[in-house]
Amino acid sequence: LKTKKRTFNSALDIGTGSGNLALAIALQKLSTKITAIDKSKAAIQIATKNFLKHKAQNINCYQADFFNINFNKKYDLVVSNPPYVSLNEYKKLSKTVKNFEPKSSLTDGSSGYTFYHKICEMIPNILNPQGLLLIEIGLEKHKMNIEKIFQKYSFQWHKDLQQNNRIIEIQT
């Protein structure tokens, strides 16, 4: 985002967890108003501590279940690092991952695509015209399925440091 030299009036972080994405947006001054949501009370407490520690005063943090929330506003920027590990993949994850992340932050308990389908369905309700949506995906092998989910939108991919497609960018 920083390389695009674009700032946003409002941003939404879906499934904020410890608040990394919302905090990065705040510290890089990419948005003036940031909303961070997570269904986990523990995650909200951790995120709030992180926001206070880094003096990020433009982030509002709420406990909310993305699948059961009615948004009363739209955002210029929406970001998410959703649970993308399928239940079968989760069973095979090493304990070094499982022991340090809550299960609900890693897997949707199903195919690994539940959040992507819901986010796609919610785009008209949460993203302003000319808005930008950035979502992390798990593995390169999931790229084609993610493209099918978002096929009605214009998108492009961003690579991680290992040159794997890792972020899908959707513009409305």
Side-chain angles (χ1 to χ4, degrees), residues 11-168:
L12 171 65
D13 179 5
I14 300 168
T16 197
S18 63
N20 293 355
L21 295 177
L23 192 55
I25 292 166
L27 295 178
Q28 294 295 317
K29 297 178 175 35
L30 297 174
S31 179
T32 53
K33 294 179 228 133
I34 304 159
T35 301
I37 64 169
D38 201 295
K39 74 176 190 173
S40 165
K41 183 177 182 178
I44 293 300
Q45 290 171 340
I46 292 168
T48 300
K49 284 180 186 175
N50 287 333
F51 301 153
L52 292 171
K53 178 181 178 181
H54 293 282
K55 298 180 173 90
Q57 297 177 359
N58 61 334
I59 304 173
N60 291 312
C61 197
Y62 302 103
Q63 184 179 357
D65 181 350
F66 180 65
F67 288 88
N68 295 306
I69 188 173
N70 291 318
F71 288 93
N72 58 7
K73 69 177 281 187
K74 294 182 182 184
Y75 299 86
D76 298 321
L77 172 66
V78 176
V79 297
S80 185
N81 181 6
Y84 49 69
V85 177
S86 73
L87 188 55
N88 288 337
E89 291 169 330
Y90 180 80
K91 292 174 183 174
K92 298 173 190 170
L93 280 179
S94 87
K95 288 185 179 184
T96 59
V97 175
K98 287 183 184 180
N99 290 345
F100 294 99
E101 294 286 340
K103 183 177 181 180
S104 64
S105 71
L106 296 170
T107 182
D108 60 4
S110 183
S111 66
Y113 299 114
T114 306
F115 275 82
Y116 299 97
H117 285 288
K118 183 65 173 178
I119 291 169
C120 185
E121 173 190 317
M122 293 295 293
I123 287 174
N125 300 325
I126 61 175
L127 199 58
N128 279 325
Q130 311 307 310
L132 185 65
L133 171 66
L134 298 168
I135 311 171
E136 183 173 344
I137 71 163
L139 301 170
E140 182 83 20
K141 69 180 183 178
H142 299 297
K143 180 180 178 253
M144 284 188 3
N145 288 330
I146 299 295
E147 286 180 354
K148 287 178 189 173
I149 293 168
F150 293 102
Q151 66 186 347
K152 66 182 177 182
Y153 293 100
S154 172
F155 59 82
Q156 66 179 15
W157 287 97
H158 298 278
K159 296 184 182 288
D160 63 14
L161 296 175
Q162 285 76 41
Q163 297 304 303
N164 294 312
N165 288 301
R166 194 68 165 180
I167 305 287
I168 187 168

